Amino acid sequence: MANRIRALLSRIARSYVLFVVVGVVVGLALAPVAWNATSSEGTVAVVPVAGTIDGSTSASVTAMLRQARNDPDVKAVVLLVNSGGGGAAASEELYLQSKRTAAEMPLVTSVDAAAASGAYYTIAPSDRIYTKPASTVGSVGVLATAPQALEPTDLVATTGPNKLTGGDGREFNYLLESLGNAFIGAVFEQRGEQLELTRTEVEQARIYSGTQAVRNGLADSIGGRQAAVEYAADEAGLDNYGVRVMRPDGTARFLSRSNYVASTAPDKEMVSARYFYGEDPSGPTFLMVPATYLDTSNDDAASPVPRTSGTGADVTDNRTEAPKPEAPKPTPTPVAAAVSGGTHVVA
Amino acid sequence: MWWREAGKRLVVLVLTVAVVVAVASVGPTLLASDDGGEEAFQNPEYAPDRVAPDPLSATGTVNLSGVEATTNGTVLIDRGHANRFSRADIEPLVDALVRQGFSVEFYTDGDLGGRLADADVFLVIDPGSEYLPGDVDDVRQFTGNGGHLVMIGEPDRTAISSGLLGTSIQTQESRLTALASAYGMSVDTQYLYNQEHADGTFKHLVARPTGQGGLDGVEQATMYTAAAVTTQRGTVLMRSAPNTHKSGNDQVTGEYPVAVRTQNTVLLGDKTFLRGDRFNVADNEAFIAYLVEFMLQGDHQPSETQDTGRTSAGTPTPTPADGDRD
């Protein structure tokens, strides 16, 4: 019996069939890699811009865009945006990064729940902007806490009269206006040919739905992320391409509950307006967010109960449940200080 | 000669190393042409000249050099109708009046007619309560006898105050309807804004003279969250710059009156331009000089008998000096 087995093994060992079979198996295992290596002409990188644009978001997205630009295999970038904006300087940084990327390769944006204010600033350089009907875009403008009129005293001495506040109210308005002009100028620089809105209409800082935005030129087409990827690949001349979804570092922070719910970010959390202003707003904070995002009702963001969106007069008492005794004292954020009804703030 | 052969090989080795190092050092510079776009990246949309607006000048003083000083005039400032203004709001105006020899008094309560009897000018700033019919009649009699009336309104405003119980919000209205309507005038409730012509921000209007009313020396003035004002038969002194909007009416633009007058009455849609840190922006100081001159022209001669020809408040009626309107 042992001799017969040994003879069979010997015959197999001398046969070419075994090696052919093994070769086919190994070859088939490696075939997909070889297939892709020869068939894919390049990669479309999908870069998420999720949550409030702060320094962390800006650094993360900047790193992803730089990585995409430096990777010879990446031929186009799709920004997948779900953000209501954030800090002014951080938003400007992302605008510059997008613009730089668009100068090197096709840059296409897919707006998820929102690309408002600073997030719209970010996507303005895109070659094409896709929105969904329920997306919100626009709110092109800047809001800030204005400095209070303070006078150097014996308790706080300064070397100059404006050291405490940075300047008087008039000067602050001009300062803020220059930020707004830069924002609006950039939007028109990037999308002037598409926009059906006048400069003053854009300056009014309305929010538009996805379909409205397509009509007025703030966006280009209705479509989801797949449409954006396909368009980006087409613009890059890719018939066969791979898609690489890049992952941001850190946690995506949201001021808007609707954006939070829509987000697919693996790590996400709700934050309140105090994230920007702190407990006691003092110096000017320049923001590129819709004012309604700064609702103090997000303060107990850990609660899963959605909060109604305050529109001014009810801003400090707009919870869907009774205020708790230990509820924090309302912070005078801009949305608490700006009220509806064609009125304005005097105190 | 083995050492000669070895030397040749050593030279070749050194030259090879040199070439490799040279290529390595020059290579990045040659390849940098691909990245030149990053270095040359331009942002013309951020050109400072395009982005940073030039502030309107804020120089000058309320110059009344061409006006003869008087020593016997009195301006009575209303404090009896929950008026909202501070000393800082009127200081430049008061300073100019005092320099011209006027005395300044305040009415807080009591008999308005009696207080007006000793005044030449009545200044009403942003009252928080309406004038009662009797007070309206007193003022009308005052203007009918040569007194001058200056009314300053504001659009509806919202005051937010924080306290121990949280934040409270109150709407404030300039309750000038009864008094102004007695002169065929009114103050709008919406604020005006202009995104093209403004002092820093859209709610800070630029206003321009209409060429009527003798408003010389003013090319443009500024008003800070102003209301439109109207007059039935008076003169529009200044209008907002073109393409001004009313709040809540973003699609309609116009040039809205912000300062109107008759022979003995002036109505303005903003008080803030009088403030110590606004009075000299653009040509505000010249406009304030015009107002002071209007006040100085007030010469109240109280009549011996009461005027009984009163009309109900809210119905625009001719003033006693209607025939002298511009």
Side-chain angles (χ1 to χ4, degrees), chain A residues 95 99 121 170 174 344 346, chain B residues 43 45-46 157-158 199:
Chain A
Y95 164 74
K99 184 181 172 188
Y121 206 166
R170 273 190 77 226
Y174 278 98
H344 66 279
V346 294
Chain B
N43 298 299
E45 66 273 38
Y46 288 161
R157 313 186 75 172
T158 299
D199 181 30

Side-chain angles (χ1 to χ4, degrees), chain A residues 275-331:
Chain A
Y275 179 71
F276 284 111
Y277 293 102
E279 292 295 329
D280 185 17
S282 53
T285 303
F286 298 100
L287 295 178
M288 292 174 178
V289 296
T292 50
Y293 279 41
L294 301 178
D295 195 327
T296 52
S297 66
N298 290 335
D299 282 351
D300 52 355
S303 167
V305 180
R307 305 300 181 199
T308 56
S309 178
T311 55
D314 59 345
V315 66
T316 59
D317 191 20
N318 59 357
R319 297 165 188 270
T320 53
E321 59 189 12
K324 299 166 187 169
E326 66 274 17
K329 190 174 134 185
T331 301

